[in-house]
Amino acid sequence: MFSTVCTVAVLLTVVSGVRAQTVEVTTPSGTLRGARVSMDDNYVDMYFNIPYAKPPVGDLRFRAPLANDPWDGVRNALDLGPQCPQRHNDLLPWEFPNNEDCLYLNVFTPKPPESGEPMPVMVWIHGGAYYSGSGNLYDGTALAKQGVVFVAINYRLDALGFLSTQDGNSPGNYGLLDQIRALEWVRDSISAFNGDPSNVTICGESAGSTSVSLLVMSRAAKGLFQRAIMQSGSGLSSWAMGYPRLDPRPLDVAQTLARRVNCPTDDNSRMVDCLRDKDVEVIINATTAMSKSAGVIEFKPVPETTFGQYGIFVAAPEAIMENGWFSNVSTIRGFNTEESATLDLDPENDGMTLTEFKAKLQTLTSQYFAQSSPAVTVDTDTIQALILDAYVTQPGITKPDDLRKAFIQLETDYFFVAPALQELKLMTKFPVMPQYLYRFSHRSANKLGPKWTGVVHGDELYYMFGLPITNDTRITSFVSSWTTNDVIVSVSMVTFWTNFAKYGNPSPPLLGMEGVKWLPWTPDEPSFLDINEPLRFRPFESLSDARYTLWTDAIPKLLRGQNLIG
């Protein structure tokens, strides 16, 4: 599922051919030469491939990142750099060479305001199921033009970013530690780009969104950002973290990789030393092969405290949220209406029979509610019965198209909606900064593909990054052409997102925005903004719906009763 839907490209294949002049900026690490692109009475300066950490190679593989070394002279920042190593079956033709030396970021900074005041900063963390993607895929020009400094980062992926032996030999979370190191770079260096290090919004989509969520929960990231935007992903999602008591355990996954590359598995220290010595291509070949035989994300973040380590997290995510041990920052979080509607769900395009529905449900429960040990088995029959009752039996659904729609809805609810709502409900039990919720439901009239796919995972990215505004037609696989409504929705998203970064409010009264007012979500008045044309602000009356309580209450109680999460 995730390898298909997380490789949405908002493509930064831009700059050559539109460069007007070169510019230079001096940072604490040294001087950079970038490109200034003029547009109307504004301009955006672009600096690419800026190192924020030492290359994580050799003995630094499977270790926390170290601050980058300064350089002499002027460093060329005109060209995009490499992407972090990722599986071959996830590479797309417009992506960039794999290189383990990949801890770089890109900065887009607009013409500074006449007041000379530093500008708010947005730091983008890309998605890709923790094993694919790159900051190079995201063009921050449209956002920067609104008066923010936009930063897009790389971070280590797959085994190189998340291998955990569940002990001190390789605790894991290197990709998250890279993100934290990038935020430290922003704190120390962004003022050189006219950015305000005390006004930073972290934002991301999919695994980038779960990363943002986990950074909000992380004690190691406290104080490095003031706001957060989470698009289609929560740290409470079933796919967001790996737990030592859930199968496959992080150590089991590490040992599977080790066996594939002929490393010992009887001693974790020897195993990690051996993996550290392997050529990066050998590692990637092995994880590529592993991904063909598994239906879940093998390498992902882990709560270190669950196996006795104390690093990024003081506890598992749900305990952090329940106890209020998170950063008190204002957030935007949300989801798309048909997150899970991939074409491979119904390649015949003929709907779904009840037998097919039950078979797919069986696959889902076997992958995500699996056996944790030979002694304890999850009662998947009970879980399947609960799900079937909520999505099929109670609504009385029998038609193939409706069954397909119901299955899309249950996966969307399970993977995206319910975790976001649960996180929001836990967060707002405490006195917190304003929290905003959205649902993105706009489907372009010219979107390609069958209409039953609706608004899938990642669709909002095209609008958030302003492609309809600039009539960018490079993404020919998404729409045949942009419509007037596409432009309106894109302008709304760019405005809401940059307003939030500037003011902590997506629709601040001081701007005289007389359209839809996006009010914060509160336990007493739960509500959300439906991003479509027209925009609608709606009460969220379905928070107590059986579909959501199934995921946030009934099933978690079954799992806790068998001591599977924690």
Side-chain angles (χ1 to χ4, degrees):
M1 170 188 167
F2 295 101
S3 61
T4 301
V5 296
C6 291
T7 49
V8 175
V10 184
L11 294 186
L12 180 55
T13 54
V14 291
V15 237
S16 59
V18 294
R19 292 175 180 156
Q21 65 184 98
T22 59
V23 289
E24 293 185 359
V25 62
T26 299
T27 75
S29 298
T31 300
L32 295 163
R33 179 180 294 117
R36 174 166 295 175
V37 178
S38 297
M39 40 196 81
D40 301 325
D41 59 348
N42 199 351
Y43 62 77
V44 174
D45 292 343
M46 305 177 183
Y47 297 90
F48 301 140
N49 204 29
I50 304 171
Y52 69 83
K54 287 184 178 180
V57 300
D59 190 56
L60 295 184
R61 183 187 286 178
F62 306 130
R63 299 193 193 279
L66 300 176
N68 58 294
D69 293 324
W71 59 85
D72 295 325
V74 179
R75 178 185 172 89
N76 184 5
L78 293 166
D79 299 308
L80 294 165
Q83 65 185 11
C84 290
Q86 44 202 275
R87 302 171 187 174
H88 301 309
N89 53 343
D90 293 297
L91 297 182
L92 298 173
W94 50 73
E95 292 186 355
F96 307 89
N98 278 349
N99 194 318
E100 195 171 2
D101 178 6
C102 63
L103 299 186
Y104 298 91
L105 51 80
N106 304 323
V107 176
F108 300 76
T109 182
K111 179 181 179 180
E114 292 183 3
S115 65
E117 291 292 317
M119 293 176 284
V121 182
M122 298 180 73
V123 179
W124 179 256
I125 302 174
H126 69 78
Y130 302 124
Y131 58 68
S132 65
S134 168
N136 290 347
L137 295 175
Y138 301 90
D139 182 350
T141 305
L143 296 160
K145 284 176 64 178
Q146 301 304 308
V148 302
V149 178
F150 184 85
V151 181
I153 70 170
N154 286 345
Y155 56 95
R156 279 174 284 180
L157 302 167
D158 206 31
L160 299 172
F162 297 98
L163 181 130
S164 174
T165 56
Q166 298 178 207
D167 61 19
N169 289 290
S170 182
N173 292 338
Y174 308 112
L176 292 180
L177 288 165
D178 293 342
Q179 296 165 15
I180 293 170
R181 171 63 206 135
L183 290 173
E184 291 171 343
W185 181 93
V186 167
R187 176 196 62 199
D188 299 335
S189 302
I190 205 65
S191 58
F193 302 86
N194 300 312
D196 184 353
S198 65
N199 187 3
V200 175
T201 298
I202 57 175
C203 41
E205 183 267 347
S206 192
S209 180
T210 59
S211 294
V212 168
S213 174
L214 294 173
L215 292 177
V216 171
M217 299 180 198
S218 169
R219 64 177 184 177
K222 281 185 182 291
L224 293 174
F225 57 91
Q226 286 68 47
R227 301 181 183 103
I229 300 175
M230 291 162 272
Q231 300 169 215
S232 304
S234 162
L236 300 182
S237 300
S238 61
W239 53 275
M241 295 200 92
Y243 293 90
R245 290 195 295 275
L246 278 177
D247 188 28
R249 300 182 306 153
L251 176 58
D252 294 337
V253 175
Q255 290 174 338
T256 298
L257 171 61
R259 282 190 290 269
R260 283 186 175 270
V261 299
N262 298 316
C263 284
T265 59
D266 59 333
D267 179 89
N268 287 349
S269 177
R270 290 175 59 233
M271 180 174 71
V272 174
D273 285 344
C274 178
L275 289 170
R276 213 171 257 134
D277 289 338
K278 293 293 179 181
D279 184 83
V280 66
E281 194 68 13
V282 172
I283 299 286
I284 295 303
N285 286 340
T287 60
T288 299
M290 288 171 65
S291 70
K292 295 177 181 177
S293 60
V296 297
I297 302 168
E298 293 92 342
F299 298 97
K300 49 191 170 183
V302 294
E304 311 101 324
T305 50
T306 58
F307 51 83
Q309 293 288 316
Y310 294 90
I312 292 181
F313 303 105
V314 297
E318 192 165 350
I320 291 173
M321 299 305 295
E322 288 175 341
N323 288 282
W325 298 331
F326 50 82
S327 292
N328 182 8
V329 296
S330 189
T331 71
I332 290 175
R333 59 167 58 75
F335 44 86
N336 298 350
T337 48
E338 288 87 18
E339 294 273 5
S340 300
T342 55
L343 291 176
D344 57 3
L345 183 68
D346 182 15
E348 297 85 8
N349 197 27
D350 60 355
M352 189 179 292
T353 66
L354 183 58
T355 299
E356 290 173 329
F357 187 103
K358 290 180 178 178
K360 290 183 181 296
L361 181 57
Q362 167 68 34
T363 300
L364 176 73
T365 55
S366 65
Q367 287 178 353
Y368 289 93
F369 306 107
Q371 180 174 309
S372 67
S373 74
V376 180
T377 303
V378 179
D379 185 358
T380 54
D381 289 342
T382 298
I383 291 175
Q384 289 175 45
L386 289 170
I387 296 171
L388 194 66
D389 184 59
Y391 286 87
V392 176
T393 306
Q394 286 189 31
I397 292 174
T398 58
K399 295 179 180 179
D401 285 358
D402 292 338
L403 284 166
R404 179 182 59 199
K405 182 178 180 180
F407 193 83
I408 292 169
Q409 190 62 61
L410 86 83
E411 282 202 323
T412 297
D413 290 346
Y414 172 54
F415 287 122
F416 301 101
V417 181
L421 296 178
Q422 182 73 348
E423 188 177 77
L424 188 56
K425 290 169 72 174
L426 290 173
M427 203 169 194
T428 52
K429 289 196 312 181
F430 301 91
V432 291
M433 300 290 287
Q435 311 292 309
Y436 298 89
L437 181 68
Y438 75 87
R439 181 180 70 184
F440 186 84
S441 61
H442 174 72
R443 178 185 168 96
S444 174
N446 290 341
K447 184 182 176 182
L448 304 176
K451 289 189 176 181
W452 62 262
T453 58
V455 184
V456 307
H457 193 60
D459 275 8
E460 87 287 358
L461 291 174
Y462 302 101
Y463 301 88
M464 174 204 160
F465 282 94
L467 272 67
I469 298 172
T470 57
N471 196 29
D472 192 325
T473 56
R474 290 170 296 173
I475 315 300
T476 56
S477 62
F478 184 65
V479 293
S480 56
S481 62
W482 298 111
T483 68
T484 299
N485 282 350
D486 293 336
V487 175
I488 293 171
V489 170
S490 187
V491 168
S492 296
M493 279 203 80
V494 169
T495 302
F496 284 135
W497 264 230
T498 54
N499 278 347
F500 182 72
K502 294 174 185 177
Y503 311 111
N505 185 336
S507 55
L510 62 93
L511 295 186
M513 297 178 69
E514 297 303 326
V516 172
K517 295 288 175 61
W518 190 352
L519 300 176
W521 189 99
T522 66
D524 294 333
E525 296 185 58
S527 54
F528 70 100
L529 181 69
D530 191 6
I531 300 179
N532 203 333
E533 174 49 32
L535 291 162
R536 294 185 178 91
F537 188 71
R538 297 181 171 182
F540 209 120
E541 297 173 349
S542 57
L543 273 176
S544 59
D545 187 284
R547 289 186 355 225
Y548 299 119
T549 56
L550 171 72
W551 303 115
T552 60
D553 184 50
I555 291 176
K557 282 181 179 176
L558 285 174
L559 298 179
R560 284 195 198 92
Q562 298 179 67
N563 198 31
L564 298 183
I565 59 176

